[in-house]
Amino acid sequence: MTPSRPSIDVQSVAATFPVSVGERALTFDAVYRDYLRKVLQWARASGCPQADLEDVAQEVFLVVRRRLDDFDGENVGGWLYRITQRMTRDQRRRAWFRRVIFGETNEVERPAQATDDVLDARLTFMRVTSEMNPERRTAFVLFEVDGYSGEEIAELEGVPVGTVWRRLHQARREFVEIAERQSKRKEARR
Amino acid sequence: MMDRLRDAPPSEAQRLVSAMEPIDVTPALAAGIRRRLDAPSRRRTNLRVLRLAIVVAVLLASAFAAAAAAHHVLHRAQPEPQTEPRKVEVAAVEQVVAQPVIVATTITTVEPVAATDTLSAPVATAKHVAPPKPAKASDEIDPEAPDAFLVIAAIQTLRHDGNATKADSLLVRYLQLHPNGALAEEALALRIEALAHDDDARAATIASRYLEQFPRGRYAEAARRARVRFAAP
């Protein structure tokens, strides 16, 4: 008799940050349903351009589907987080290639209700965070934008909570400095 | 525990952070990504095609660069009758001077030709010019064959040393070995230049031979001028 597959407690996953597998079967559908939003958040926090988020999510879940049978089911969140970081890195590389070779730009999608000010602020936010240290940026975006707690970020990154707080402090300082620098540059161009 | 920036007093950082919205996964978005996931083969095929295209492009670029480099090397060996003799670096001269020794050995092995025979060979008159032997395929695809040094040495001898007779003998050797070789056109043109340098009337014959073989060649104009200049009265 073969041991039963690890499973996800869908209710608890929906309510809290899932890092371990529960009692029910770990199926692709369940992983997709429960983690799609988080994969998109992690990709954005890792510096994926807004326009490429869906592509990265697709790549991540392609890997999930291919490797789910070999996955030990121990830490779904951590496993997906690492895949997302890798895919985001690849995507950033491809985006750089497209930008350099084909002159494409990373546009921020304009939601129907967004005003010019909001759009401008979003664009500035993306530009500023793209210049930040990657570890600090991830902690900063997850904490400030997506509302993660320090403990959740620590578990994702596999670092002590104290390290996350330190990164957040440094990230805020770095964010303000880069924003000021970019603002001055922008004014100088006018 | 830290407060979040969006709850902090107004500042530029607070404004930028507040403009960002948490990720919102709508059913349409989830269904869209899922649809693409369920039909990934086309995307993978596209990626494969893209990778293949990049590999082909890189290979083509490499081949082009190699061809351009080879062309550049060969182009430097072209005769330029109007230009002043070039100044040659010592290292280059040493290299060229060293090469004919090796080449001469090779030629002796392949097809012994005495230098005096070459110089006195009746190539000067049209009736004595033998029809060119068909070149071996290897002659035409190997511009870096050792015999190419005959032509290079001839250029140096002609333009640096001013020894047109010796240059002509080297070119005759090259053309005997490779009448249709990769450098045959250059060798014939250089022969015209060498003979013209010594006011040798055979330049007209060689020019005619050049124009027969390369009626639209790069040096056709110079050959015509030489034929007119050295034509028999």
Side-chain angles (χ1 to χ4, degrees), chain A residues 28-64:
Chain A
F28 178 77
D29 284 346
V31 175
Y32 182 76
R33 185 180 59 243
D34 298 330
Y35 282 92
L36 175 59
R37 182 159 167 268
K38 292 187 181 302
V39 165
L40 291 168
Q41 288 174 345
W42 298 337
R44 183 170 69 175
S46 301
C48 178
Q50 190 80 21
D52 295 335
L53 284 178
E54 290 179 31
D55 285 346
V56 168
Q58 185 187 346
E59 296 290 338
V60 169
F61 284 104
L62 276 174
V63 174
V64 170

Side-chain angles (χ1 to χ4, degrees), chain B residues 15-161:
Chain B
R15 185 182 77 87
L16 296 178
V17 169
S18 299
M20 295 300 290
E21 288 179 343
I23 296 282
D24 181 26
V25 179
T26 61
L29 175 69
I33 297 175
R34 186 61 199 260
R35 226 180 1 258
R36 283 156 61 189
L37 272 172
D38 292 337
S41 55
R42 200 176 67 184
R43 180 179 169 79
R44 284 186 192 167
T45 307
N46 287 345
L47 281 176
R48 257 187 234 127
V49 169
L50 181 65
R51 280 184 194 146
L52 185 67
I54 290 171
V55 168
V56 170
V58 168
L59 288 175
L60 282 174
S62 307
F64 181 77
H71 180 262
H72 179 69
V73 168
L74 292 176
H75 204 70
R76 287 175 62 190
Q78 284 179 10
E80 295 175 15
Q82 273 79 29
T83 56
E84 291 289 315
R86 293 182 196 164
K87 288 185 179 177
V88 183
E89 290 179 12
V90 175
V93 172
E94 283 173 357
Q95 187 188 3
V96 170
V97 167
Q99 291 301 337
V101 177
I102 300 165
V103 170
T105 310
T106 311
I107 291 164
T108 309
T109 310
V110 176
E111 190 177 332
V113 179
T116 48
D117 290 345
T118 305
L119 286 172
S120 59
V123 291
T125 56
K127 62 180 182 179
H128 286 108
V129 175
K133 287 184 282 183
K136 292 175 187 172
S138 59
D139 293 339
E140 297 186 350
I141 60 170
D142 187 9
E144 292 185 0
D147 296 341
F149 285 107
L150 283 170
V151 180
I152 297 170
I155 293 169
Q156 297 298 334
T157 309
L158 175 64
R159 298 191 181 158
H160 185 256
D161 303 339

